Amino acid sequence: MSERQFGENLDDWIVKTSQESEKTSESVSDVFFDEAKRLFDDSRANEALTLINVAIEKDGENYRYFTLKAEILESLNRYSEAGDAYASAFKLNEIDETREEWALMMYRWANSLNDKTKALKIITDAIEILPEGLKDTYREKFWYLKGSILDCLGQSIESRICYLKAEGFSDEIKELEGQIEFLKSSKDTLISITGTRFYFGIEIFKPGMTVDLIKEPENEHDPDAIRVEIDGEKVGYVANSEYTLVENIKSASDIRDLDLKKAEVVFIYMDEHVIAKLV
């Protein structure tokens, strides 16, 4: 079967090669595949796509054709179609190599998007597509991207869990999930102590320690303000704004009418919130 000559029109060559294949036993689909690969390697993606589509029309049972089509489509930033091509390749031959290439393409797609909601769905799918045996290999890469996307979407807790997964910190994930469950189910009156960085930092707070609560009705910024002290030293305030509050805890305004005296530190949440219960 004659090779394509320099400058020969692609459509004319396709017709000529198809006609010649009827007279030989050579697989015309492989000829088109080889030429498509050569064109793709030569950065002529659109021509390569035309040829690989012809190869698939001739033989739609060869997974390698669909894998090459996926690579070509990705180079043209046609990610969704590339995903469909990888899915077709995997259906024909369920090998881990195809799933790995497919997942990496999805990772690159998610990383390229400004639409973070769409990017979140794609990277989540990519993690699912990864072969089980390669999840540890790509753990840091994939989970960090998902974490950063969630961060952009303002989903700080979910983002933190992804970062912990990226680092392989399973014990820390269990601890955080336990804290989240505690915040949801506790019958105690819970508060969050904020503003600690302006005083002695968060490091001075330890689970089980008791702090004093002092109302500040004369506070010019917030008449509901409640000061937090340890041994007579100011260490922060009970959180009372949407920027410092944590879900399922009480604000200073919520507890201002209670007979407040002390609170007991329960745990440090997300490395920045001191969670305590009224005692």
Side-chain angles (χ1 to χ4, degrees), residues 178-213:
Q179 291 177 346
I180 293 169
E181 181 57 34
F182 178 85
L183 291 173
K184 289 179 180 179
S185 61
S186 177
K187 303 302 182 184
D188 293 315
T189 301
L190 303 176
I191 60 170
S192 176
I193 302 170
T194 189
T196 57
R197 68 184 184 278
F198 298 114
Y199 305 101
F200 297 94
I202 205 168
E203 295 80 9
I204 66 169
F205 296 93
K206 306 298 179 184
M209 75 184 306
T210 300
V211 298
D212 299 312
L213 305 177

Side-chain angles (χ1 to χ4, degrees), residues 17-154:
T17 303
S18 297
Q19 290 173 344
E20 289 179 356
S21 71
E22 296 175 2
K23 303 173 184 179
T24 70
S25 59
E26 188 175 357
S27 170
V28 67
S29 56
D30 279 344
V31 173
F32 290 135
F33 170 79
D34 291 339
E35 180 65 8
K37 192 173 186 310
R38 185 187 70 78
L39 288 169
F40 182 50
D41 291 341
D42 200 29
S43 300
R44 297 162 68 181
N46 285 301
E47 291 176 274
L49 182 60
T50 297
L51 276 180
I52 198 61
N53 279 333
V54 174
I56 289 170
E57 286 176 10
K58 301 290 185 181
D59 178 8
E61 299 300 316
N62 193 318
Y63 82 96
R64 295 184 304 130
Y65 297 176
F66 286 99
T67 298
L68 178 59
K69 180 175 181 177
E71 293 172 5
I72 295 169
L73 286 165
E74 183 186 357
S75 76
L76 295 169
N77 296 325
R78 293 164 63 174
Y79 292 101
S80 181
E81 294 170 83
D84 292 339
Y86 274 124
S88 296
F90 185 70
K91 185 176 180 180
L92 290 169
N93 190 10
E94 297 183 354
I95 58 175
D96 283 352
E97 182 181 356
T98 300
R99 290 181 65 180
E100 180 181 10
E101 293 171 357
W102 184 4
L104 287 169
M105 182 279 293
M106 298 284 278
Y107 171 90
R108 293 187 289 268
W109 182 13
N111 201 27
S112 73
L113 290 171
N114 291 322
D115 183 344
K116 298 307 178 185
T117 300
K118 183 175 181 180
L120 177 60
K121 181 183 184 309
I122 292 167
I123 192 61
T124 300
D125 289 344
I127 291 170
E128 288 296 316
I129 290 169
L130 266 175
E132 199 62 38
L134 291 174
K135 288 192 184 295
D136 276 347
T137 302
Y138 292 106
R139 182 189 66 226
E140 184 174 348
K141 182 184 182 82
F142 280 58
W143 284 107
Y144 259 120
L145 178 58
K146 184 171 182 177
S148 67
I149 292 170
L150 286 163
D151 223 355
C152 291
L153 292 170

Side-chain angles (χ1 to χ4, degrees), residues 8-17:
E8 185 175 4
N9 179 274
L10 184 63
D11 290 336
D12 291 343
W13 182 77
I14 291 172
V15 172
K16 182 179 72 173
T17 303

Side-chain angles (χ1 to χ4, degrees), residues 147 150-163 176 269-270 272-273:
L150 286 163
D151 223 355
C152 291
L153 292 170
Q155 299 183 40
S156 58
I157 298 173
E158 293 83 355
S159 174
R160 178 60 177 275
I161 290 173
C162 286
Y163 289 143
L176 177 56
Y269 183 60
M270 299 283 287
E272 59 179 309
H273 303 285

